[in-house]
Amino acid sequence: MSRRIVWGGCAILAMACGDRAPPPSAATQAAASTPDAPVTSAPNAPDSVVHAEMRHVSMHVESGIVLHINRLRGQVLSTRRGAPPALNDKASMIIAIESGDISIDTASLSTLLNRHVFGYRKSPLRKLHARVDGDQLELRGDLHKLVWLPFRIRATPSLTQDGMIRVHPTSIRVLGLGVTGFSKSLGGMSGLLKLEPGHGARTDGDDLLLDPSRMLPPPTIRGRLSSIAVEPGGLRQRFGASDSTTATPRGRPGSRATNYMYFHGGTLQFGKLTMRDSDLEIVDANPGDPFDYSLDRYLEHLVAGHSNTTMVDGLIVVMPDVGRLKRADKP
């Protein structure tokens, strides 16, 4: 059996491929069982699953929102019926995390809350600013109760049994006055905030519940949180296994890269290139610090970098950090 890489109208016959890829893991089967799951190939098809491993990547999922990926292992699924996921189309991808260690800084968290979680018309919150205060998270902004009022909440985040982030306030101040007792008389956080469903946040008595799978913009990220903690500068989230033998990405065999994204198995599209039985490693050109990568500027990363084909018909692409890219002139 052979595999083929197609780039535009040119085809390069590849070397004979190896064994059939293993069947999808439990994470893929669980994702496929949900109503909004992507359509994938038959369970035992050789190219049914794209596996993903990442290490030391600061991923810009959107302007002003960065996920700091210390490590990640999982799968890349497609949202498009009959088509593979595409690296240059973040809306086409679902990242199903099996294990991972990911942080989000307070600047990114503030942007995320303002733009996506509470950014809808008639939202009761606006102009939110998050910061870390010791082992607690502080949130400042404006609260709408007939008129807009400045507020401040100090809270402790934790996890619910179903993987939601529970934000439990330890103090609430509006107009500089403590209102914890007042909020309880209104029915707790549920009485203080009237939230529209479908944006990744809801109230539960005195607490605010955040759904990690619904908070972020594309690509869709799925995975069960195993822990969350406040750390200097932001929040740290761990997914799945904590045992380093199962959780630490290994990368491409023989690779010495320390900052990378590695995709293998399945069918993967990037630009006009379609790779079957994929073996693609994207490596940081500047390994002295984390790989600063923007999903929206994939093509610019690619043009500014260079690539090499391996002896097993894989592809290694070396890309510069996003801060080293030159903006392409707009037509």
Side-chain angles (χ1 to χ4, degrees), residues 55-69:
R55 193 67 186 261
H56 301 148
V57 178
S58 293
M59 181 177 289
H60 296 244
V61 296
E62 192 176 272
S63 174
I65 302 176
V66 184
L67 299 180
H68 303 282
I69 302 171

Side-chain angles (χ1 to χ4, degrees), residues 8 10 32 56 75 77 80 107 117 120 142 145 148 191 197 242 247 256 274 277 286 289 292 302 315 317:
C10 300
H56 301 148
Q75 298 169 356
L77 310 175
R80 308 180 300 177
V117 182
Y120 55 91
D142 291 341
K145 301 299 289 186
W148 289 103
S242 58
R256 295 183 179 181
T274 299
D277 191 13
N286 311 100
D289 53 16
D292 210 18
L302 183 63
L315 189 64
V317 182

Side-chain angles (χ1 to χ4, degrees), residues 25-237:
S25 70
T28 304
Q29 295 174 7
S33 67
T34 59
D36 60 345
V39 177
T40 59
S41 306
N44 294 320
D47 59 347
S48 59
V49 178
V50 178
H51 299 272
E53 301 182 17
M54 302 182 193
R55 193 67 186 261
H56 301 148
V57 178
S58 293
M59 181 177 289
H60 296 244
V61 296
E62 192 176 272
S63 174
I65 302 176
V66 184
L67 299 180
H68 303 282
I69 302 171
N70 181 45
R71 58 172 175 81
L72 183 148
R73 179 177 293 176
Q75 298 169 356
V76 180
L77 310 175
S78 179
T79 62
R80 308 180 300 177
R81 181 178 295 273
L87 291 183
N88 59 310
D89 180 6
K90 62 186 181 182
S92 75
M93 296 186 293
I94 294 174
I95 301 177
I97 302 176
E98 296 172 353
S99 63
D101 182 352
I102 302 175
S103 296
I104 183 168
D105 57 67
T106 53
S108 295
L109 180 59
S110 299
T111 302
L112 177 64
L113 294 174
N114 283 308
R115 188 180 296 165
H116 293 282
V117 182
F118 300 110
Y120 55 91
R121 185 173 177 269
K122 294 187 177 181
S123 170
L125 299 176
R126 71 176 187 182
K127 298 181 180 179
L128 300 173
H129 175 74
R131 77 178 189 93
V132 169
D133 185 7
D135 61 350
Q136 294 198 320
L137 186 67
E138 182 180 278
L139 191 64
R140 295 173 181 258
D142 291 341
L143 166 69
H144 192 267
K145 301 299 289 186
L146 299 179
V147 295
W148 289 103
L149 304 171
F151 80 95
R152 184 186 71 185
I153 293 177
R154 296 182 76 250
T156 302
S158 62
L159 290 183
T160 65
Q161 290 186 346
D162 57 353
M164 300 278 283
I165 301 174
R166 180 180 295 276
V167 180
H168 177 69
T170 57
S171 71
I172 303 175
R173 302 184 72 84
V174 177
L175 284 171
L177 302 175
V179 295
T180 304
F182 176 66
S183 68
K184 287 184 178 179
S185 70
L186 292 176
M189 189 70 73
S190 302
L192 195 62
L193 297 179
K194 300 299 182 183
L195 300 179
E196 183 178 293
H199 300 279
R202 63 182 175 87
T203 55
D204 181 27
D206 290 336
D207 301 338
L208 181 66
L209 296 181
L210 301 175
D211 185 347
S213 66
R214 295 183 179 273
M215 291 172 58
L216 286 167
T220 300
I221 294 180
R222 294 179 183 169
R224 188 176 180 86
L225 276 173
S226 56
S227 70
I228 187 168
V230 175
E231 63 177 15
L235 292 176
R236 186 172 186 175
Q237 305 168 84

